[in-house]
Amino acid sequence: MTTIFGYPLVVVLGQLVLGLVNGSFYALLSLGLAVIFGLMRVVNFAHGAFYALGAYAALVGLNVLGVGYWPALLLAPLVVGALGVVAERLLLRRLHGLDPLYGLLLTFGLALAIEGTLHQVFGSSGESYPVPEALRGVFNLGFMILPRYRAWVIVVSLVVCFGTWFVIERTRLGATLRAATENAPLLQAFGVNVPVLVAATYGGGVALAAFAGVLSAPVILVSSQMGSALVIVVFAVVVIGGMGSILGAVVSGLLLGLVEGFTKVIYPEASNIVVFVIMALVLIVRPHGLFGRE
Amino acid sequence: MKLRALITGLAAACALAPTARAADVVIGDIDDLSGLYSDVSGPGATEAMKMAIADFGGTVLGRRIVTLVADHQNKPDIGASKFREWADQNGLNMLIGGSNTGVNIAMAKVAAAKKVPFFPVGPGGASLTNEDCTAYTVHYAYDTTALANGTATTIVKGGGKTWFFLTADYAFGSQLQNAAAKVVEANGGKVLGAVRVPLSASDFSSFLLQAQGSGAQVIGLANAGEDFVNSMKAANEFGITKSMKPAALLAFLTNIHSLGLETAQGLYLTTGWYWDLNDQTRAFAKRYFDKMKKMPTMDHAGYYSATLTYLKAVKAAGTTDSDKVMAELKRMKISDLFTPNGYVRRDGVMVHDMYVMQVKSPKESRYAWDYYKVVRVMPGEEAFGPVTGLCPLAPK
């Protein structure tokens, strides 16, 4: 049997596919963070809470309003994104131009408030969201059984990640957004409503988090704390990719998912710290991250 | 004149304040009221404790029964200092400990120092009646030994000889795994391997595929709470539950409720109590449900029973003197809705029957919260095992 580092090829392949699934979640979440940091210089600590809010929006939609998975995939990010816009207009906007540390503290407080509210309303034990009918069942890849839903996660994440990258790096809207980061007063002088643009950016980043929340609802327990551990890993991903780099966030998200998957085979105990070890190494060798600009 | 008004006012305020008087019997509850265990035990447990006091009549030995409640926030120092404060300043007569073994070990030390009867109901750690035992501890609802004995023995005897463990990588997880592994081997089974999973891992599928690769018949889930739920969900999604028998080493009714029967069906688990055992348990469950809108877990019923048992012991002893009440507790038989035949052993274990359960399929479940079928009632002596000798109070 073919082996890699002493492990059977089939085992390694299976773990790599699973790593790709987890990497897709990392990529989606770090993408939102990178958009918000890249265009607003805000370290959005509330990202995990908005992710949980997205999952709960889908859950409430299903259980209370009878809104299924497919509409929720669009509606939940819209609703949560709108909340993000409100949070930006009411709170974050007041910190504009101050040290990024203030934004970090504010969003951290926001995360605690959101998670506390979810806990108060829904309790601590969490709830399950069913896998949509059309995506039940499995693919037999020969070397492993891959549930259809996990395959869907990979596909849809890649599409959304590429779409976001395209909008920001290749369209006129994206160019305007980037101009707002470079020189807001000048852009304003050209007649662009910059405050609205900034609020929409935050709402967009938050909507990406909520989208990831809906996407993960069928595979993990929906609970108020579901984002709090994940957001730390995702921050490490963003740092490794280079703060604010969209492409960096996506590529490093996927790569780290793969590395983590491989670690789960060779030394499972280290699987939750391997990302941070890599982050430390990257910071030593390339302080601006793999894709960061000086 | 003003001074007199002030003094009268203060006196009135003191009289109104719900502080305990010297003549009161004070029962305390220190639990996780707001964190991850607050559904399993938490505010519902406090409610169950108050139901027991009301059922007892609200007084004992002609003295009013009052309660004190605090949130330990899963921090041992908070639990221990609150306990000490109540013992020193509020005339605490008895304390019930909620979830979290670590916090309860810290509180047990206070119980020994302050000589206050201490009933840990929520924690699983068997060390509370072994290395960390005290003369005032009554470990009430279940412990890791009983959980392992119940689930592992039943499955091995039913033909599940080869095991692979998915173990939460911290003290509790390895204690559970070790306890279960011993039982498996003692019954002629074999442990093929284990994978240590970091606490609160975001994805369990990799570990589950490793378990499947081992070729074992049984997958032992030595984890709890959210980790347990997420590993079961993934096991189901990847079709692992079709080829391997899942065994939960700690699962509460609330976990099964979160999972849903579609995912949880077929799972084996052990519990100290279940709401749908007989008329008495159903009657309590209905009363509890009317108040809390959820069915009670074994912790909730344990809180009710522990409160009642303490009050009965006080009544029988005719005093709240800790040593005399403890002597009475270790002499009396416990028979109520929690257990028909419990007793407190010299090391502090409340020995009572444990129930080995299998989770019903959606078809078998006929009404809301109809989740378990009894596979076996395990006698207390078998479940909690012999006295280990690790507790100095109870040499072999």
Side-chain angles (χ1 to χ4, degrees), chain A residues 10-279:
Chain A
V10 286
V11 173
V12 175
L13 275 178
Q15 297 296 340
L16 291 183
V17 172
L18 293 176
L20 203 58
V21 178
N22 292 331
S24 303
F25 281 119
Y26 291 158
L28 259 186
L29 280 165
S30 50
L31 177 68
L33 275 182
V35 167
I36 292 170
F37 184 81
L39 302 176
M40 295 173 67
R41 301 287 149 202
V42 168
V43 179
N44 186 30
F45 239 86
H47 216 63
F50 283 116
Y51 163 78
L53 214 49
Y56 268 110
L59 191 78
V60 170
L62 185 75
N63 292 344
V64 181
L65 309 170
V67 176
Y69 175 82
W70 302 106
L73 216 43
L74 191 69
L75 290 176
L78 280 178
V79 171
V80 178
L83 279 177
V85 170
V86 172
E88 201 284 333
R89 297 297 290 177
L90 290 180
L91 304 167
L92 264 179
R93 194 167 57 98
R94 294 164 202 278
L95 302 178
H96 187 72
L98 294 177
D99 191 286
L101 197 60
Y102 290 96
L104 185 150
L105 285 174
L106 176 78
T107 50
F108 183 62
L110 200 58
L112 292 180
I114 294 173
E115 287 172 355
T117 308
L118 288 174
H119 180 115
Q120 193 63 34
V121 176
F122 297 98
S124 66
S125 43
E127 289 176 60
S128 290
Y129 189 95
V131 175
E133 205 68 55
L135 295 172
R136 290 193 190 164
V138 295
F139 292 118
N140 193 341
L141 302 183
F143 57 91
M144 74 177 298
I145 298 288
L146 182 67
R148 280 169 195 230
Y149 191 83
R150 305 257 172 171
W152 155 252
V153 166
I154 300 178
V155 173
V156 76
S157 303
L158 288 178
V159 169
V160 169
C161 286
F162 177 76
T164 310
W165 172 82
F166 187 83
V167 167
I168 290 178
E169 299 287 342
R170 290 286 181 270
T171 64
R172 190 170 167 78
L173 174 69
T176 317
L177 284 172
R178 280 178 288 131
T181 330
E182 293 293 325
N183 196 334
L186 192 62
L187 192 67
Q188 189 114 33
F190 282 130
V192 177
N193 191 341
V194 174
V196 167
L197 210 56
V198 171
T201 305
Y202 190 71
V206 163
L208 281 171
F211 182 78
V214 183
L215 204 57
S216 67
V219 284
I220 67 169
L221 183 74
V222 178
S223 81
S224 59
Q225 298 302 312
M226 64 191 281
S228 55
L230 202 56
V231 75
I232 307 290
V233 178
V234 171
F235 266 111
V237 171
V238 173
V239 171
I240 294 168
M243 292 292 286
S245 162
I246 310 272
L247 191 64
V250 175
V251 173
S252 54
L254 292 170
L255 273 179
L256 287 165
L258 292 177
V259 171
E260 205 187 58
F262 198 61
T263 315
K264 282 174 179 169
V265 193
I266 50 175
Y267 190 53
E269 288 92 330
S271 59
N272 63 341
I273 54 161
V274 65
V275 171
F276 302 105
V277 173
I278 294 176
M279 179 181 87

Side-chain angles (χ1 to χ4, degrees), chain B residues 113-133:
Chain B
K114 300 291 174 190
K115 299 189 192 312
V116 174
F118 171 53
F119 287 60
V121 171
S127 73
L128 282 163
T129 51
N130 288 298
E131 304 91 302
D132 301 306
C133 78

Side-chain angles (χ1 to χ4, degrees), chain A residues 15 18 22 26 119 123-129 138 144-145 147 150 218-221 223 264-265 268-269 271-272, chain B residues 34-39 169 195-196 198 202-203 205-207 209-210 226 229-230 233-234 237-238 254 258-259:
Chain A
Q15 297 296 340
L18 293 176
N22 292 331
Y26 291 158
H119 180 115
S124 66
S125 43
E127 289 176 60
S128 290
Y129 189 95
V138 295
M144 74 177 298
I145 298 288
R150 305 257 172 171
V219 284
I220 67 169
L221 183 74
S223 81
K264 282 174 179 169
V265 193
E269 288 92 330
S271 59
N272 63 341
Chain B
S34 55
L36 70 165
Y37 301 118
S38 56
D39 275 5
D169 192 15
V195 56
R196 289 174 165 274
S202 56
D203 178 53
S205 45
S206 301
F207 307 113
L209 290 192
Q210 293 179 42
E226 206 157 313
V229 172
N230 279 329
K233 274 178 82 86
E237 198 190 344
F238 281 81
T254 43
S258 306
L259 268 174

Side-chain angles (χ1 to χ4, degrees), chain B residues 69-138:
Chain B
V69 181
D71 186 351
H72 62 46
Q73 298 166 37
N74 292 306
K75 296 185 178 110
D77 53 325
I78 293 184
S81 64
K82 205 72 202 170
F83 188 0
R84 204 172 290 120
E85 179 194 317
W86 288 351
D88 287 341
Q89 297 169 17
N90 302 68
L92 185 73
N93 294 106
M94 179 274 232
L95 182 85
I96 306 188
S99 301
N100 196 318
T101 299
V103 177
N104 277 275
I105 289 173
M107 296 201 295
K109 294 190 168 65
V110 182
K114 300 291 174 190
K115 299 189 192 312
V116 174
F118 171 53
F119 287 60
V121 171
S127 73
L128 282 163
T129 51
N130 288 298
E131 304 91 302
D132 301 306
C133 78
T134 83
Y136 301 94
T137 303
V138 179

